[in-house]
Amino acid sequence: MDRKCDKCNRRATHHSVEIVQGKKIEQHLCETHAAEAGLSIKAVNTPINELLTNFVKLHSGGQAMTAAQELVCDVCGLTFAEFREHTLLGCPHCYQAFERQISPLLERAHDGGGHHVGKVPRRCGSGQDRQEQLTQLRQRLDEAVTREDYELAARLRDDIHRICPPSPGSTERSDIPGN
Amino acid sequence: MTLRQITEHAGEWLRGAGPHSDVVISSRIRLARNLAGYPFVNRAMQRQRMDILETAKQQITSSHRISDSLFWVDMRDSPRLDRELLVERHLVSRQLVSAADDSPRGVAIGSDETFAIMVNEEDHLRIQVLRSGMQLAEAYEQINRIDDALEDSLDFAFSPRFGYLTACPTNVGTGLRVSVMLHLPAIKLTGQIEKVRRAARDLHLAVRGLFGEGSEALGDLYQISNQTTLGRSEAEILADFEQTVVPQIIAYEQQARAALLRDRPEQLDDRVYRAWAVLTHARLLTSEETFALLSHVRLGVTLGRLDAIDLRSLNELLLICQPAHLQRIMGKTMNPAERRIARANLVRQRLGVRRTP
Ligand SMILES: [Zn+2]
Ligand SMILES: [Zn+2]
């Protein structure tokens, strides 16, 4: 489990243990609070992260955003409220699930940029539907393996391979005993 | 090649060569990529992270188009000191190192340290290429080749509207972050750092001290990086650096150096030789003081006022004076007080050996 910052809810990235007069003092801080304490330099993208956080907070009073709180990504289950708290999205589909809320925010963070310009992967045969289907299948596979439902797991694995054939020479890990 | 073998020398990017190396220490490019069909790292379960790690590792280590010589470091079973060493060498991020101990993550590092590919940091893949001096075009050419090679068998999460999809929306689009590390002692001495900030701000680039905070840049080292990744192409982002901002800042720094030489040569030499005197005689050195002194010595070397040491050795000192390197070289763990002694000894030894009679 990732440890939270002593001063806020973000993930702690600086950990220290000091012994002061025989007492153990632990400190866990996020990048921002570590920087504040003089322990680190802020990450390169902090200004934008801050902008993002502030922007999200600023607009959270509005009705649109309050309603958006309830929004859920139906592929990974992330809620918009969770995104607001951590400013991290849960999966590629989140960009679609929260598109209306995120678009103005992206334009702010990227100096007006709203549409991608630049490199496009050659293997673009992987449409979004296919990518989402894969994410969902893999989630279900994980659950099946956890439940030890190996029959279902085997079927799901076949489905995954049908959509996404294993690359030649890759050593696919197997979660299924004897498979 | 192993981690142990790289410790005592600086990687390619610190060799003090390359175009404009009197001002530009290094050029760095990073690409963020995520595998399609998986949640992002922060939302992926342990087993999925394992899957991502294995898939990526397999592809990275088997592709000959990436490099003939690289080594893989699994963060889960590498000692704390090794991990710190990699952070000090700019090969991995603090975030990768300090994730939960059992969190599946690792890094592939080119033996010449020109590139590193982190797996399961904030994004599934963080590819970076490092070069010494001003070599953004070369760095981009290399990183683009690595990206193409990975794409041979990995499907990246991509949308026509938002480009390469990343966990944090601030990286979405090209996933490209360009950073140029600059040594700006004369601009600092003449109090003109605001000019640099203004030049960068006009193009929405961020300026920060490499060590230290905000305007207090330790060792007068500054890093300039882009903040916009969506709506501008790789070529446009690179052009801002290559054609606009970096040449402008190099010109400012060179004007300031020329002005120092012309108007205040005694003050300049005094700075340089005081720094040299302390470094060659001090018995206790903090890393902060060492960085500050090395900066002045470096200025003296680039202006031909001091020829007792070359840029490469200065860069090496900058690297090995940091805590993890110091402890690795001394072969023991040391507290800050012990490190101050060891640092001063190491600096005297390195500078002494190279001193011309
Ligand atoms: Zn915090
Ligand atoms: Zn999602």
Side-chain angles (χ1 to χ4, degrees), chain B residues 13-263:
Chain B
W13 67 278
L14 271 176
R15 84 189 141 89
H20 304 291
S21 56
D22 53 340
V23 179
V24 184
I25 308 255
S26 66
S27 307
R28 195 181 87 137
I29 297 188
R30 168 285 255 165
L31 288 176
R33 297 286 186 259
N34 286 279
L35 304 191
Y38 285 99
F40 296 136
V41 178
N42 68 89
R43 195 115 187 128
M45 284 178 274
Q46 183 84 354
R47 197 178 290 116
Q48 292 173 318
R49 294 189 196 189
M50 290 278 291
D51 229 31
I52 294 160
L53 187 78
E54 286 305 319
T55 307
K57 181 185 169 186
Q58 161 70 27
Q59 182 55 25
I60 294 164
T61 52
S62 69
S63 172
H64 298 292
R65 287 172 53 208
I66 296 177
S67 163
D68 329 316
S69 181
L70 54 76
F71 59 101
W72 174 261
V73 182
D74 192 313
M75 285 294 140
R76 288 169 298 182
D77 46 49
S78 57
R80 188 168 177 78
L81 190 63
D82 283 1
R83 302 186 204 171
E84 289 297 324
L85 213 63
L86 293 175
V87 175
E88 288 178 2
R89 297 181 87 82
H90 294 214
L91 293 169
V92 305
S93 65
R94 167 76 42 204
Q95 184 171 341
L96 189 80
V97 159
S98 42
D101 273 344
D102 63 340
S103 180
R105 67 210 192 283
V107 62
I109 298 168
S111 297
D112 56 0
E113 295 180 66
T114 55
F115 74 90
I117 307 171
M118 292 190 279
V119 182
N120 284 341
E121 203 238 29
E122 184 177 288
D123 293 300
H124 296 157
L125 295 171
R126 285 280 176 99
I127 314 164
Q128 78 154 16
V129 166
L130 273 162
R131 290 292 181 108
S132 76
M134 184 64 187
Q135 295 196 65
L136 282 177
E138 294 81 358
Y140 184 72
E141 194 271 323
Q142 184 179 2
I143 206 165
N144 194 38
R145 192 155 31 84
I146 294 175
D147 186 43
D148 285 345
L150 290 172
E151 214 187 81
D152 276 349
S153 65
L154 299 175
D155 254 342
F156 291 143
F158 181 88
S159 102
R161 172 163 184 199
F162 295 121
Y164 289 94
L165 303 174
T166 53
C168 185
T170 55
N171 297 315
V172 79
T174 54
L176 178 79
R177 184 87 63 217
V178 174
S179 312
V180 176
M181 198 206 294
L182 303 161
H183 184 229
L184 307 175
I187 287 182
K188 185 72 186 303
L189 276 172
T190 51
Q192 304 180 79
I193 208 71
E194 203 37 51
K195 270 168 92 176
V196 174
R197 292 190 189 282
R198 229 175 296 128
R201 204 182 312 127
D202 290 345
L203 287 170
H204 294 266
L205 306 179
V207 182
R208 65 164 186 148
L210 181 67
F211 306 103
E213 276 177 78
S215 55
E216 260 325 294
L218 266 183
D220 306 320
L221 294 170
Y222 292 86
Q223 192 156 291
I224 306 211
S225 26
N226 65 307
Q227 308 198 70
T228 302
T229 55
L230 184 65
R232 306 206 73 211
S233 70
E234 291 84 356
E236 288 173 306
I237 295 169
L238 287 167
D240 284 348
F241 283 85
E242 289 180 307
Q243 285 157 32
T244 312
V245 164
V246 177
Q248 198 174 348
I249 296 175
I250 291 176
Y252 288 159
E253 173 65 20
Q254 259 144 9
Q255 283 158 19
R257 288 182 190 184
L260 282 175
L261 266 179
R262 191 183 56 233
D263 308 332

Side-chain angles (χ1 to χ4, degrees), chain A residues 73-78 89-95 97-98, chain B residues 43:
Chain A
C73 168
D74 53 12
V75 172
C76 75
L78 185 85
L89 293 164
C91 78
H93 181 73
C94 286
Y95 279 93
F98 307 132
Chain B
R43 195 115 187 128

Side-chain angles (χ1 to χ4, degrees), chain A residues 5-11 28-34:
Chain A
C5 170
D6 293 343
K7 296 187 176 169
C8 72
N9 263 332
R10 269 172 291 199
R11 204 166 61 85
H28 305 275
L29 296 172
C30 68
E31 207 62 36
T32 306
H33 283 108

